Amino acid sequence: MYKFFVQENQIINNKVNIEGKDFNHIKNVLRMKPQTKIFISNKDNEKTYLCEIENIENEKVVCKIIEECENTTELRIKVDLYQGLPKVDKLEYIIQKTVELGINKIFPTNMKNCVAKIKDEAKKNERWQKISEAAAKQSKRDIIPKVEFSVNIDDICNCISKYDIALVAYENEENISIKDVITSNEAQDYKKIAIIVGPEGGFNDKEIEKLKLSGAKIVSLGKRILRTETAPVAMLSMIMYQYDL
Ligand code: SAM
């Protein structure tokens, strides 16, 4: 069953009006008919509804809400990714894959060893947000993860306290693995965590020191060196195994 996202103001008295590109998709691409059932998520309150198309007018599709869906497709823990800025096409891949795996927010992060620099960030962010929305629809997420504007290591250090834990994937860490942390007893109560991944050139020592001093946990993802685009996928897969399956 297809999934669509609407704003609060499109939901009036148990009816949902779908307009614009989703209207066109339903009518002219999917050629859906009345009585077809679809899922609709409210972007503003993360609620998801099972709906039925009532009629397809010239400019909009009117759907009737059948019921609110209880079992969410969201992870039971919110995970924010701080991704060392990779070469731009890789970030598109990282957005798509981490949205499928349940990410909550993505923060492109400027780090010392980043090769790429973001030109015209407003335009890039619009494209990245569209990639997130497409992946959220495909994977039937209840939310469209936000791709935030880029931050730096100091920004991360300043907001680490809002997380139950911040996990820094560090390729030179030899003692503590992500498994040691997420399988610990206290970790079972975590509600909100940050995962931090370096760019192709990795972290520089000062960045690791700063993150450590701010209370972040430095962890290994195993014996092999993963690409910057593989690391967040691996981290989220392990978190999903521990908190979701
Ligand atoms: N320049 C580094 C080197 O050659 O050792 C490799 C950096 S790796 C391509 C990019 C990022 O992926 C790292 O900064 C780290 O965040 C993550 N990563 C890759 N392999 C990892 C591992 N085995 N353990 C922890 N993090 C890893």
Side-chain angles (χ1 to χ4, degrees):
M1 219 180 297
Y2 283 89
K3 156 68 73 81
F4 294 92
F5 289 91
V6 297
Q7 247 113 24
E8 180 75 38
N9 61 14
Q10 291 174 258
I11 302 176
I12 306 155
N13 303 334
N14 223 37
K15 299 279 168 84
V16 187
N17 295 318
I18 298 181
E19 292 144 332
K21 60 180 177 25
D22 281 343
F23 158 75
N24 178 56
H25 194 59
I26 289 172
K27 182 174 181 185
N28 304 320
V29 177
L30 301 173
R31 295 183 181 283
M32 286 186 173
K33 301 285 176 239
Q35 274 85 51
T36 308
K37 288 198 176 40
I38 56 175
F39 286 118
I40 295 178
S41 287
N42 178 338
K43 284 182 190 172
D44 300 316
N45 65 12
E46 300 186 6
K47 286 194 171 25
T48 293
Y49 304 99
L50 173 64
C51 299
E52 183 179 280
I53 294 179
E54 232 172 24
N55 55 21
I56 300 177
E57 299 172 9
N58 288 338
E59 300 286 310
K60 68 180 176 182
V61 175
V62 180
C63 303
K64 179 179 67 181
I65 293 178
I66 298 172
E67 62 190 10
E68 185 180 333
C69 299
E70 289 312 317
N71 52 346
T72 171
T73 59
E74 295 305 307
L75 284 176
R76 68 178 169 86
I77 182 169
K78 285 206 182 298
V79 185
D80 288 352
L81 166 64
Y82 292 84
Q83 174 64 44
L85 200 64
K87 294 185 188 99
V88 181
D89 56 330
K90 285 185 187 175
L91 188 62
E92 296 184 4
Y93 172 86
I94 292 167
I95 292 166
Q96 185 188 61
K97 295 309 159 201
T98 54
V99 168
E100 288 172 50
L101 287 165
I103 204 72
N104 177 53
K105 276 187 186 171
I106 298 165
F107 295 81
T109 305
N110 296 299
M111 298 183 191
K112 282 264 175 310
N113 293 336
C114 287
V115 173
K117 295 270 175 275
I118 307 179
K119 290 186 211 71
D120 190 355
E121 181 155 8
K123 199 153 156 258
K124 283 274 183 336
N125 184 275
E126 209 179 304
R127 176 172 168 71
W128 291 336
Q129 197 56 51
K130 284 203 176 90
I131 290 170
S132 174
E133 178 160 357
K137 277 185 178 172
Q138 173 275 322
S139 56
K140 297 207 179 4
R141 292 285 302 268
D142 291 342
I143 66 159
I144 302 173
K146 189 120 173 34
V147 181
E148 299 289 351
F149 274 69
S150 57
V151 295
N152 60 34
I153 291 284
D154 290 335
D155 296 323
I156 300 177
C157 294
N158 294 334
C159 75
I160 274 185
S161 57
K162 75 177 188 181
Y163 295 99
D164 294 316
I165 195 165
L167 299 174
V168 179
Y170 186 38
E171 59 276 21
N172 300 331
E173 171 57 36
E174 288 174 0
N175 304 315
I176 300 174
S177 80
I178 184 170
K179 181 179 174 186
D180 299 325
V181 178
I182 62 174
T183 58
S184 69
N185 289 338
E186 63 175 304
Q188 302 326 302
D189 301 329
Y190 290 167
K191 294 280 174 284
K192 194 171 171 148
I193 67 175
I195 59 175
I196 305 159
V197 174
E200 290 90 345
F203 287 100
N204 92 346
D205 297 344
K206 286 208 185 69
E207 290 171 335
I208 291 293
E209 274 322 298
K210 263 188 185 176
L211 288 163
K212 244 186 219 169
L213 284 174
S214 305
K217 202 97 178 127
I218 312 300
V219 295
S220 165
L221 302 182
K223 296 188 274 301
R224 290 167 298 287
I225 296 291
L226 310 179
R227 287 176 178 272
T228 187
E229 65 271 26
T230 311
V233 172
M235 291 182 93
L236 263 173
S237 302
M238 295 180 226
I239 289 165
M240 197 173 111
Y241 175 89
Q242 183 62 24
Y243 287 94
D244 201 36
L245 301 179

